């Protein structure tokens, strides 16, 4: 029997998200082995959004986390995680919800990102009014051009942050998700060039402003380029892994720990079959193939709609209605968010389900 097959698959309706607990643990162990010092590991939980997976990381000694939403932050706080960085600049109602998190979960130290003085001032006013404070990291645009401030402008912002009440400047956040070169040496060179500016900025702040600076850097693709630096590393996808990263960054040791299952629901003709894996069941932001089937590697996605995935096959006689296909999503992170629960697998048996609790935009707050 293959590692991914379930003896009791007939008890699981499709489509479904499967989590392989032993493989999750192996991926956590690999990450810790790569960085050596678990205190420098700050995993991003945007991929898993699941309390039980985060609890596994905590049981392995991980105490710091990164997240993208208030719900993810609250999920971690409910687990009594020690240190949670909201890797997002909170504006509008989100900033007020962050105040509520700080008030309701005092055992967790929260922080967030800022990249301009106006947002920082708004946070200062909110937290000062609540008689609270929030740790902040300056979000650095290190080449991804999605958010953040250029390093040349960040020193002035650091000076302003230090003078604000209600906020505590903690360091720099540098996400380099654009660095996905398959050749690790090329990835390392590009990482070195981008990181040199961040390190120079940190050194200047520490020297001239007499403030210690913590640097939070990288994601899963750039993780190997940062592990030997004095930074906190923030891989996220590593815990489940997916087809995209497995082939884009093959040097990394992680294995598939999350799959989707689908069943053949119709035999259309001699070379066409249809399954129940539609847009609502696997991340659809990338072109086809959005999923690769471990037990049917030669099938080719032909078309997809909300509840159906049509596949071209060499000979449809090799399939029958009801056959189960085990698929690796190209992009696991948004795929997980499509499911309210995941089926947990151990030793080729589905043993329980875990709620994907932070797929919702709010839990309590």
């Amino acid at each position: 029997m293959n590692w991914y097959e379930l003896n009791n698959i007939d008890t699981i309706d499709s489509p479904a998200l499967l989590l392989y607990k032993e493989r999750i643990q192996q991926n956590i162990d690999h990450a810790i082995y790569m960085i050596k010092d678990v205190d420098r590991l700050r995993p991003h939980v945007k991929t898993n959004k699941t309390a039980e997976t985060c609890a596994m990381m905590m049981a392995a000694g991980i105490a710091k986390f990164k997240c993208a939403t208030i719900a993810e932050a609250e999920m971690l706080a409910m687990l009594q995680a020690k240190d949670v960085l909201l890797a997002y600049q909170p504006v509008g109602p989100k900033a007020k919800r962050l105040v509520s998190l700080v008030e309701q979960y005092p055992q967790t130290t929260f922080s967030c990102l800022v990249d301009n003085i106006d947002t920082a001032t708004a946070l200062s006013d909110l937290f000062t009014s609540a008689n609270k404070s929030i740790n902040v990291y300056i979000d650095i645009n290190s080449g991804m051009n999605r958010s953040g401030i250029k390093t040349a402008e960040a020193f002035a912002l650091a000076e302003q942050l230090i003078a604000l009440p209600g906020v505590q400047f903690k360091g720099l956040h540098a996400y380099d998700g654009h660095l996905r070169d398959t050749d690790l040496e090329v990835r390392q060179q590009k990482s070195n060039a981008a990181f040199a500016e961040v390190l120079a900025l940190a050194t200047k702040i520490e020297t001239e402003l007499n403030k210690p600076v913590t640097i939070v850097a990288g994601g899963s693709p750039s993780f190997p380029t940062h592990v030997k630096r004095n930074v906190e590393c923030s891989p996220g996808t590593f815990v489940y892994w997916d087809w995209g990263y497995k082939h884009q960054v093959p040097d990394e040791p992680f294995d598939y720990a999350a799959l989707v299952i689908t069943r053949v629901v119709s035999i259309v003709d001699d070379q066409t079959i249809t399954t129940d894996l539609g847009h609502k069941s696997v991340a659809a932001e990338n072109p086809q193939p959005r999923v690769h089937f471990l037990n049917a590697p030669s099938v080719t996605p032909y078309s997809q709609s909300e509840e159906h995935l049509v596949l071209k096959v060499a000979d449809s006689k090799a399939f029958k209605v009801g056959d189960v296909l085990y698929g690796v999503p190209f992009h696991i992170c948004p795929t997980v968010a499509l499911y309210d629960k995941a089926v947990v697998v151990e030793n080729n048996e589905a043993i329980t389900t875990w709620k994907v609790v932070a797929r919702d935009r709010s839990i309590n707050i």
Side-chain angles (χ1 to χ4, degrees):
M1 173 174 280
N2 292 305
W3 66 265
Y4 53 83
E5 293 179 300
L6 273 62
N7 290 314
N8 57 342
I9 190 64
D10 289 344
T11 67
I12 308 302
D13 196 5
S14 59
L17 174 68
L18 306 185
L19 300 181
Y20 294 79
K21 193 173 180 182
E22 299 102 328
R23 287 184 157 234
I24 294 172
Q25 187 62 58
Q26 289 168 8
N27 286 341
I28 294 170
D29 294 343
H30 283 316
I32 293 172
Y33 178 80
M34 287 174 69
I35 202 167
K36 309 303 182 192
D37 180 6
V38 73
D39 194 51
R40 292 195 300 108
L41 191 56
R42 184 185 284 274
H44 203 314
V45 304
K46 68 179 180 66
T47 298
N48 71 78
K49 297 179 179 290
T50 304
E52 290 85 350
T53 300
C54 294
M56 289 178 68
M57 290 191 271
M58 292 174 66
I62 298 170
K64 302 174 183 176
F65 294 91
K66 195 165 87 168
C67 63
T69 69
I70 295 294
E72 291 167 3
E74 185 170 16
M75 171 188 71
L76 291 164
M78 291 168 70
L79 291 171
Q80 299 191 358
K82 176 183 175 183
D83 188 325
V84 175
L85 166 59
L86 176 65
Y88 216 88
Q89 182 163 243
V91 298
K94 198 182 306 294
K96 296 177 182 178
R97 292 173 69 199
L98 182 57
V99 174
S100 296
L101 276 180
V102 171
E103 290 175 331
Q104 294 193 32
Y105 297 97
Q107 79 283 353
T108 298
T109 298
F110 293 98
S111 53
C112 68
L113 304 183
V114 295
D115 68 7
N116 68 89
I117 189 57
D118 291 339
T119 299
T121 300
L123 288 171
S124 172
D125 291 343
L126 278 173
F127 279 88
T128 299
S129 296
N131 197 29
K132 298 291 182 180
S133 67
I134 184 71
N135 294 333
V136 296
Y137 289 77
I138 295 177
D139 191 19
I140 300 296
N141 181 356
S142 56
M144 193 166 182
N145 297 323
R146 185 177 70 181
S147 66
I149 186 173
K150 295 292 187 180
T151 52
E153 304 167 3
F155 182 82
L157 179 57
E159 288 183 300
Q160 293 173 309
L161 291 177
I162 291 170
L164 281 178
V167 298
Q168 298 291 325
F169 171 72
K170 296 296 291 184
L172 307 174
H173 174 266
Y175 178 59
D176 49 12
H178 59 295
L179 300 182
R180 301 184 182 188
D181 300 87
T182 299
D183 187 327
L184 177 57
E185 184 176 347
V186 174
R187 212 180 322 143
Q188 186 72 61
Q189 290 171 352
K190 291 182 178 180
S191 174
N192 291 347
F195 185 74
E197 294 186 16
V198 178
L199 183 59
L201 171 62
T203 301
K204 182 177 182 180
I205 293 172
E206 289 183 334
T207 301
E208 298 186 21
L209 302 182
N210 195 33
K211 292 288 291 185
V213 175
T214 298
I215 300 174
V216 180
S220 290
S222 64
F223 182 42
T225 74
H226 292 295
V227 290
K228 294 182 180 179
R229 294 174 176 147
N230 185 26
V231 301
E232 293 179 358
C233 295
S234 295
T237 308
F238 80 97
V239 75
Y240 289 167
W241 218 226
D242 58 24
W243 185 274
Y245 281 168
K246 186 74 169 178
H247 293 79
Q248 286 177 327
V249 288
D251 55 281
E252 301 196 28
F254 308 112
D255 285 318
Y256 305 136
L259 303 180
V260 291
I261 60 161
T262 184
R263 284 183 171 87
V264 177
V265 295
S266 183
I267 307 294
V268 181
D269 58 37
D270 290 347
Q271 295 185 317
T272 312
I273 65 174
T274 300
T275 73
D276 55 3
L277 195 73
H279 293 144
K280 296 177 179 177
S281 307
V282 66
E285 84 277 14
N286 286 297
Q288 296 286 9
R290 296 163 180 152
V291 61
H292 297 259
F293 297 107
L294 296 177
N295 59 330
S298 63
V299 305
T300 303
Y302 174 70
S303 68
Q304 192 176 29
S305 53
E306 292 185 21
E307 303 290 353
H308 299 85
L309 174 63
V310 181
L311 302 169
K312 287 297 182 181
V313 299
D315 184 0
S316 64
K317 292 186 179 63
F319 300 87
K320 63 181 185 297
V321 170
D323 280 353
V324 177
L325 302 183
Y326 294 80
V328 182
F330 182 86
H331 193 185
I332 190 62
C333 309
T335 297
V336 169
L338 296 173
Y339 292 86
D340 62 348
K341 64 182 179 181
V343 177
V344 182
V345 179
E346 279 191 292
N347 299 317
N348 299 98
E349 295 279 343
I351 59 168
T352 189
T353 59
W354 289 349
K355 182 176 174 60
V356 186
V357 63
R359 75 185 289 261
D360 297 331
R361 282 292 170 177
S362 66
I363 300 176
N364 297 307
I365 292 177

